[in-house]
Amino acid sequence: MAGRIKDEDVDAVRAAVRIDAVVGEYVQLTNGGGGQLKGLCPFHDEKSASFYVNPSKGVYSCFGCQESGDTLGFVMKIEHLSFVETVERLAPGVGITLRYEGGGYQPGQQKGERTRLLEINKIAAAWFTEQLSSPEAEIGRRFLKERGFEAEAAGHFSVGYAPGGFEHLTRFLRGRGFSDRELLLSGICSEGQRGPMDRFRGRLVWPIRDITGEVVGFGARKLREDDNGPKYLNTPETPLYKKSNVLYGIDLAKKDIARTGRAVVVEGYTDVMACHLAGVTTAVATCGTAFAEDHIKILRRLLMDTSAYRGEVVFTFDGDAAGQKAALRAFEDDQKFAARTSIAISPGGMDPCELRLAQGDEAVRTLIEHPVPLFLFAIRAAVASHNLETAEGRSAALEQAAPIVARIKDGSIQHDYAVQLAGMVGILDEQFVVRRVSQLARWQRERDQQAARSGVRRQGQQQGAPAAAAPMRPAYRLNPRDPAQFVERELLKLALQHPALVAPTFDFYAQDEFPTPPYGAVRAAIAAAGGVEAGAAAPDSWSGLVRAAAPDDGVRGLITELTVEPVRTRRAADAVYAGEFLVKLRLQAVDRRVADCRAHLQRLGPRATAEQLSAVQGELWALQQYGQSLRERGAAAL
């Protein structure tokens, strides 16, 4: 039996790994104010950034989908790992050697499955690279050199070579302690008549890395005519490798994509190499599949692709019929980007690798710097498929191209393209074409809205009642725009993020002074964790203590939200700002009690005794005086 990781080692990993560094591997983070960072949520599709990270507290929260947690929780969620696998993955990066309870540390037996598969791929990648210098690999080195890639370039991209035998790598990995089951599960080996055998044989091999730089699979190109396999052979779908979720070169390109706001999508491994070597360091490629929705999500997070920020995605495709078909397929996904989408096709129809070899690095850079808007490309392709010399052909061209123009989100650009379409088709009445496009755009919006409503209904039918789907908010719907709730929320944020600013006064506030039930539950958790004075004494561990004191996951999620959401002040949170909200919350409680007293007097009516009236009127007078004092003297009157 494998022992569990020692608690102190788990705590050491959690403390050593910075959450902003981990999240930053997947999401471009920008300043969110108040010491927070923000970006596009990696767990749901969104057009504006609602995902916040608090580096000082080590937590994240999305106000769109309510996902929240700490560093370990983020990695578990985004990589679909177990808790043990997550700790094992993060520990080496911070120099922590994990110890296991219930016996000595035995790597082969106690590491999680995903960790073992990553080790297989890492070792295999290094082995392939070593083989590229062998005599047998001369054919591979010649292939690379003929395409303009010298040894240094091959080394930069870790290109390797798989020898022609059936069990070279299989025997090597067995010698490193990996089981036949693990070799088959990794996709490195395939099932032969006598057990596992090398999947890649006699081919050049490119390691495929995920966004964090881990090797998750391989792509191999055939070199010999007697190889009856496909031109490119990729790792099959495995627990690590999902071809729709990876982009070749993303580990090398991600920083420059985020920095420049541009991503370049090419078709193959050598095209990525050519672009990077030519200075286009934002190039990536799909791996044996069409560019699809999951690829879009990866790039949108890196581009910070929101409605407020306009990046650019440039597609490059071969100039042949297949390349044009791929370009039009990419156009179908254009509306899923807020970024501008363009296409770069060289005049001779060459791909970036061929262009670099024929005309040099500058030609590749020029190609990428002068793309054609993808909308324009799609419109031209639609028009070109008809005979414009006849009235029937012009009408058919208009009917095929007008819906494309109608899909353009920006109204002014849509109008401009409608005018251009009239000229392309040869229709003199431009306004006729503009009206036709506007009509189609309206119909499309109505259809999309109807589809969205139907989708919500279907989702509700599939998932059941909303209360079952949301553990946190079945009893009460939070409304941050409600002025009274805003005061509760802001004061709780101060108590969680800056406990010293509200200590010790906050601890004297009763739970019923937070009448919104979820906020009252957070107030109770703060009290259970020792109050804000305890938080002021240990600010680094404070939010974790409060989450641990929460009664359920729903309240824990709200605590995380409040910990990462920026305090709503343009200046830094200080004692003056905290005092304002301490007063505001107490005033709200006083005003509620005043209203209760007046209602009580009204209920007593004319039959009330003098003693009853005196008691209620006395309390009402005291409350009014206290409220007036708070308004005049502020926090000093608390």
Side-chain angles (χ1 to χ4, degrees):
M1 291 289 291
R4 63 192 293 268
I5 302 171
K6 287 182 176 291
D7 290 341
E8 54 264 40
D9 290 350
V10 173
D11 293 339
V13 171
R14 183 181 280 115
V17 178
R18 288 183 57 85
I19 192 168
D20 51 329
V22 171
V23 175
E25 295 283 352
Y26 303 86
V27 179
Q28 184 191 164
L29 296 173
T30 61
N31 183 10
Q36 319 285 343
L37 301 172
K38 68 178 180 179
L40 288 176
C41 179
F43 302 123
H44 82 289
D45 199 20
E46 59 179 0
K47 293 295 184 183
S48 59
S50 62
F51 181 84
Y52 281 80
V53 173
N54 187 318
S56 65
K57 307 297 183 185
V59 294
Y60 72 91
S61 182
C62 175
F63 301 114
C65 67
Q66 277 71 55
E67 285 290 343
S68 61
D70 61 7
T71 309
L72 299 183
F74 177 85
V75 176
M76 289 173 65
K77 174 75 176 177
I78 200 163
E79 293 290 353
H80 307 288
L81 304 180
S82 68
F83 179 80
V84 170
E85 288 174 326
T86 300
V87 177
E88 289 176 341
R89 175 169 181 171
L90 295 175
V94 289
I96 295 174
T97 300
L98 299 176
R99 297 165 297 166
Y100 296 75
E101 295 177 351
Y105 173 46
Q106 298 175 307
Q109 297 179 24
Q110 294 184 304
K111 288 187 177 179
E113 178 182 273
R114 191 179 192 280
T115 303
R116 294 282 287 172
L117 297 183
L118 284 172
E119 287 185 355
I120 289 175
N121 282 344
K122 182 178 180 180
I123 293 170
W127 187 82
F128 286 134
T129 301
E130 289 178 4
Q131 302 308 307
L132 187 60
S133 60
S134 67
E136 182 188 334
E138 170 60 28
I139 186 174
R141 295 193 297 272
R142 186 167 62 250
F143 175 93
L144 291 171
K145 190 169 184 178
E146 288 172 352
R147 283 155 182 78
F149 305 124
E150 301 293 340
E152 184 178 353
H156 180 70
F157 292 94
S158 302
V159 183
Y161 177 78
F166 284 86
E167 295 186 350
H168 291 301
L169 181 57
T170 301
R171 287 197 298 267
F172 178 78
L173 290 171
R174 280 172 174 163
R176 297 294 294 268
F178 296 103
S179 68
D180 287 358
R181 176 188 172 277
E182 289 173 327
L183 298 183
L184 293 170
L185 191 61
S186 72
I188 284 288
C189 296
S190 55
E191 186 70 74
Q193 293 182 348
R194 296 181 298 174
M197 66 178 187
D198 295 357
R199 179 179 299 278
F200 309 114
R201 302 183 301 276
R203 290 176 171 244
L204 274 178
V205 179
W206 282 263
I208 300 170
R209 303 178 190 273
D210 65 13
I211 199 167
T212 69
E214 297 277 12
V215 180
V216 295
F218 298 90
R221 194 206 192 277
K222 75 175 183 178
L223 299 169
R224 297 174 173 84
E225 292 298 327
D226 59 355
D227 185 338
N228 296 320
K231 181 178 179 180
Y232 280 95
L233 177 65
N234 283 8
T235 296
E237 297 279 303
T238 72
L240 296 182
Y241 181 74
K242 303 288 188 292
K243 62 184 178 182
S244 62
N245 290 334
V246 293
L247 287 166
Y248 177 72
I250 194 68
D251 57 308
L252 299 174
K254 62 182 180 183
K255 289 184 179 178
D256 284 344
I257 289 175
R259 179 179 60 82
T260 63
R262 170 188 276 181
V264 177
V265 181
V266 299
E267 289 196 284
Y269 307 130
T270 57
D271 291 333
V272 171
M273 293 176 68
C275 283
H276 280 252
L277 294 173
V280 182
T281 55
T282 58
V284 296
T286 58
C287 300
T289 186
F291 189 79
E293 187 164 352
D294 287 333
H295 300 127
I296 291 172
K297 292 177 181 178
I298 295 171
L299 292 183
R300 289 195 66 237
R301 293 195 296 268
L302 290 177
L303 287 167
M304 189 69 167
D305 185 40
T306 70
S307 55
Y309 171 79
R310 302 303 295 271
E312 182 180 22
V313 179
V314 179
F315 294 92
T316 70
F317 296 102
D318 293 349
D320 58 16
Q324 295 220 0
K325 184 178 179 181
L328 293 175
R329 246 193 339 261
F331 167 73
E332 293 301 315
D333 288 320
D334 173 83
Q335 296 296 288
K336 296 172 184 175
F337 283 108
R340 300 185 305 273
T341 53
S342 306
I343 182 169
I345 298 180
S346 64
M350 293 182 286
D351 60 37
C353 181
E354 294 168 337
L355 182 62
R356 177 175 179 264
L357 192 62
Q359 300 180 28
D361 292 346
E362 182 61 31
V364 176
R365 292 193 293 269
T366 300
L367 172 68
I368 302 303
E369 289 299 329
H370 297 88
V372 175
L374 197 53
F375 272 116
L376 184 56
F377 175 85
I379 294 166
R380 286 174 175 170
V383 171
S385 63
H386 298 279
N387 180 8
L388 302 181
E389 298 300 319
T390 66
E392 293 79 5
R394 289 192 292 272
S395 176
L398 175 62
E399 290 308 304
Q400 184 175 343
I404 298 173
V405 181
R407 289 178 53 186
I408 299 176
K409 298 182 286 285
D410 190 313
S412 60
I413 296 177
Q414 182 189 91
H415 180 274
D416 184 58
Y417 274 111
V419 172
Q420 289 189 51
L421 175 60
M424 290 181 200
V425 176
I427 296 177
L428 297 179
D429 187 353
E430 293 179 351
Q431 290 308 308
F432 170 78
V433 177
V434 170
R435 288 193 298 272
R436 177 60 175 153
V437 167
S438 297
Q439 181 185 50
L440 290 170
R442 185 172 64 254
W443 289 349
Q444 287 182 5
R445 283 195 301 271
E446 292 172 354
R447 187 168 61 249
D448 291 344
Q449 290 168 359
Q450 183 177 2
R453 288 192 294 269
S454 300
V456 170
R457 286 196 296 270
R458 284 195 300 272
Q459 187 178 21
Q461 293 166 359
Q462 292 169 359
Q463 295 182 353
M472 203 329 275
R473 302 189 172 67
Y476 202 100
R477 185 173 181 81
L478 295 177
N479 180 13
R481 295 184 179 180
D482 181 327
Q485 286 193 28
F486 172 75
V487 172
E488 294 179 69
R489 188 178 186 92
E490 199 70 358
L491 188 53
L492 287 171
K493 281 159 42 179
L494 288 166
L496 290 166
Q497 297 177 30
H498 308 284
L501 294 180
V502 295
T505 306
F506 180 93
D507 288 335
F508 296 108
Y509 282 32
Q511 185 174 344
D512 62 9
E513 293 189 68
F514 294 82
T516 305
Y519 293 148
V522 175
R523 171 67 187 94
I526 290 174
V532 291
E533 286 200 287
D540 291 341
S541 60
W542 173 232
S543 61
L545 292 173
V546 179
R547 285 198 304 276
D552 56 50
D553 288 342
V555 177
R556 271 188 288 276
L558 180 56
I559 290 168
T560 303
E561 278 186 25
L562 298 173
T563 302
V564 302
E565 182 180 309
V567 176
R568 303 302 181 190
T569 175
R570 293 183 178 180
R571 66 178 190 270
D574 56 19
V576 174
Y577 187 75
E580 290 175 5
F581 281 87
L582 286 167
V583 169
K584 287 178 179 178
L585 188 79
R586 179 56 57 84
L587 269 174
Q588 288 182 176
V590 169
D591 289 344
R592 285 194 301 273
R593 184 55 188 156
V594 166
D596 289 343
C597 287
R598 286 173 173 165
H600 191 189
L601 284 174
Q602 188 172 359
R603 287 194 302 272
L604 287 174
R607 288 179 293 180
T609 65
E611 184 178 356
Q612 288 175 322
L613 289 173
S614 176
V616 177
Q617 289 172 338
E619 181 182 0
L620 180 60
W621 181 86
L623 286 167
Q624 289 172 329
Q625 292 299 307
Y626 182 44
Q628 184 64 29
S629 175
L630 284 174
R631 289 181 176 87
E632 292 176 352
R633 296 167 52 209
L638 290 171

